[in-house]
Each structure stands twice: as structure tokens, then as C-alpha cells.
Amino acid sequence: MARPRKPLLSRDRIVEAASALVDSEGLDAVSTRRLAAELGVSGPSLYNHFRNKDEILDAVADAVSAQVDLSMFDESDARDWRAALHDWAVSYRAALAEHPHIVPVLAQGPGRRPAGLRVADAVFGAMVRAGWPPAQATYIGALMRYFITGSALGSFARGFVDDETAYDPADYPHLGQAHLLADRRQKVDEGAFETGLRALVDGLSLQYEQLERGHLPPAGTVRPAPKRS
């Protein structure tokens, strides 16, 4: 009986194997030699599909970008720009939460990645259609990427140890409950993200109202604080 053939090597198979390595062991685990061994092929065969490791990681990052829901930015969608921005940010963060080790690559920007560029195009287009000037729409896209990728780069709650003795009240009088944060990581991190996201969207809404009234100052302008009576 003939031995079953191995599946032909393809870009998709390489990306799938690389993604599994990144998810389980991190970016440093990925090498052409390691991937070739995982796929049961010779190392040089990978170069028929990718020139180097960086291209492979770009493809892994783009596969994650492709998981982000963009339907809220369709012209046929009934959500206004505020709800669309919120719902997209939640979807984006969820995708990054599933693949946290690839976030440093995604944080560099879309470059030439097709799915990443589709994300940028959808956000920018929706903001311009909503009435934002192109420059402001660009700033909003950048702002949201900073916030979302930053939130996925690390856990605030996990940064605190679960040892109560590490927080001597003589030194840290307000951290008496800090040792509990690690066990509540998901609740704390999700709550912080949602709080920050609402603050961003609410702040943009105020700017939008100023824009509609023709009072939105140029970017970089700092308004003086109102005088107290």
C-alpha cells in the first residue's frame, strides 16, 4: 500500500505552524530551522514562500488582524461612529488577547500587511464619513491603536505579587489590597480597558460637538483651564 503523502507546503501551513509556536513559546521560538522541523520539511523549502523570519512573523500578525471584526464600519451598518469605534476596539482587543505574544509586531503598524491595512482603511474611512477632517481621523486611528495594543502588551494586575508582606503599610499605605489583584487579573484588566475606552470615546464625542459648532481648535492647541469663580 502506498504511503500517504504529506500535505504540500504552503504559506497557510507555515503561518499556522508559526502562529502556534508564537502562541505557546513566544517570538524567540520562531526560526526557519524550528519551523521546518515542525512541518517535516527541509529548511530551504520555506524560502519558496517567505524570504526570512520577519516576513513569517508579519504574516502571523496579519492573520491576527484578519480576525478583527470590521462590520461596524460598513456603510450599511446602523451604528454611529461612537458605537462603531467602541465595538471595533473590543473586537480588536479580544483578538490580541488570544495571541498576546504577537502584539509587539502588531504594535509596529500595518506596514504592507493586507489585513492590517484593511483595518486602518476601515477606521479612517468611517471617521471621515462621520464628518471628522482627514487629519483628525488619522489621529483617532493612531490614538486607538496606541490604546488597544498598549492594553494588550501586559497585565496591570499581574504586575502585583500575591504576597501581602510585599506591601508594608508603613511604606505603601494605600496598597493594602494589592496582593489580591493577581487573582482578579481578568476582571481588573477588562474593567480598566472598558473604563479607558469609554473615556476615549466620550472625549472624542466632546471634540466632535465642538467640531460641529466650528469651535474645534487645531491639533496641538492647549486650551486654558476655565477660571474658578
Side-chain angles (χ1 to χ4, degrees), residues 14 17-18 20-22 24-44 46-47 53 56:
I14 296 170
L21 270 180
V22 172
S24 61
E25 300 182 36
L27 294 172
D28 291 341
V30 179
S31 68
T32 53
R33 178 179 296 181
R34 176 75 182 275
L35 283 173
E38 294 284 335
L39 292 163
V41 300
S42 63
L46 298 180
Y47 297 115
K53 170 184 171 177
I56 294 172

Side-chain angles (χ1 to χ4, degrees), residues 124-149:
F124 178 80
M127 295 304 101
V128 171
R129 284 198 309 274
W132 287 99
Q136 291 288 342
T138 300
Y139 303 152
I140 291 170
L143 165 68
M144 298 305 293
R145 183 164 66 83
Y146 298 154
F147 175 66
I148 298 165
T149 57

Side-chain angles (χ1 to χ4, degrees), residues 120-207:
D121 181 75
V123 176
F124 178 80
M127 295 304 101
V128 171
R129 284 198 309 274
W132 287 99
Q136 291 288 342
T138 300
Y139 303 152
I140 291 170
L143 165 68
M144 298 305 293
R145 183 164 66 83
Y146 298 154
F147 175 66
I148 298 165
T149 57
S151 74
L153 280 172
S155 165
F156 174 82
R158 191 175 285 168
F160 293 85
V161 299
D162 62 358
D163 179 4
E164 187 174 4
T165 64
Y167 309 104
D168 188 330
D171 296 321
Y172 316 108
H174 307 296
L175 295 182
Q177 301 296 307
H179 64 286
L180 302 175
L181 290 174
D183 285 340
R184 301 172 184 176
R185 179 187 62 81
Q186 183 173 355
K187 181 178 180 180
V188 171
D189 292 345
E190 289 182 355
F193 177 79
E194 184 62 32
T195 299
L197 180 56
R198 286 199 307 268
L200 284 177
V201 174
D202 287 349
L204 288 172
S205 294
L206 291 175
Q207 290 190 31

Side-chain angles (χ1 to χ4, degrees), residues 85-122:
L85 207 59
H86 175 278
D87 294 350
W88 164 71
V90 170
S91 174
Y92 197 171
R93 183 180 181 274
L96 298 188
E98 290 292 320
H99 309 280
H101 292 151
I102 200 64
V103 173
V105 179
L106 279 163
Q108 297 171 7
R112 297 177 180 271
R113 303 174 202 140
L117 289 170
R118 282 192 290 273
V119 172
D121 181 75

Side-chain angles (χ1 to χ4, degrees), residues 8-24 26-27 30-32 35-36 38-39 41 45-46 49-67 99 102 113-115:
L8 293 175
L9 189 63
S10 65
R11 286 180 63 91
D12 288 345
R13 283 193 67 210
I14 296 170
V15 171
E16 183 179 353
S19 181
L21 270 180
V22 172
D23 286 346
S24 61
L27 294 172
V30 179
S31 68
T32 53
L35 283 173
E38 294 284 335
L39 292 163
V41 300
S45 63
L46 298 180
H49 302 277
F50 295 97
R51 288 183 297 179
N52 50 44
K53 170 184 171 177
D54 287 342
E55 280 197 357
I56 294 172
L57 292 177
D58 262 356
V60 172
D62 212 39
V64 174
S65 294
Q67 299 173 19
H99 309 280
I102 200 64
R113 303 174 202 140

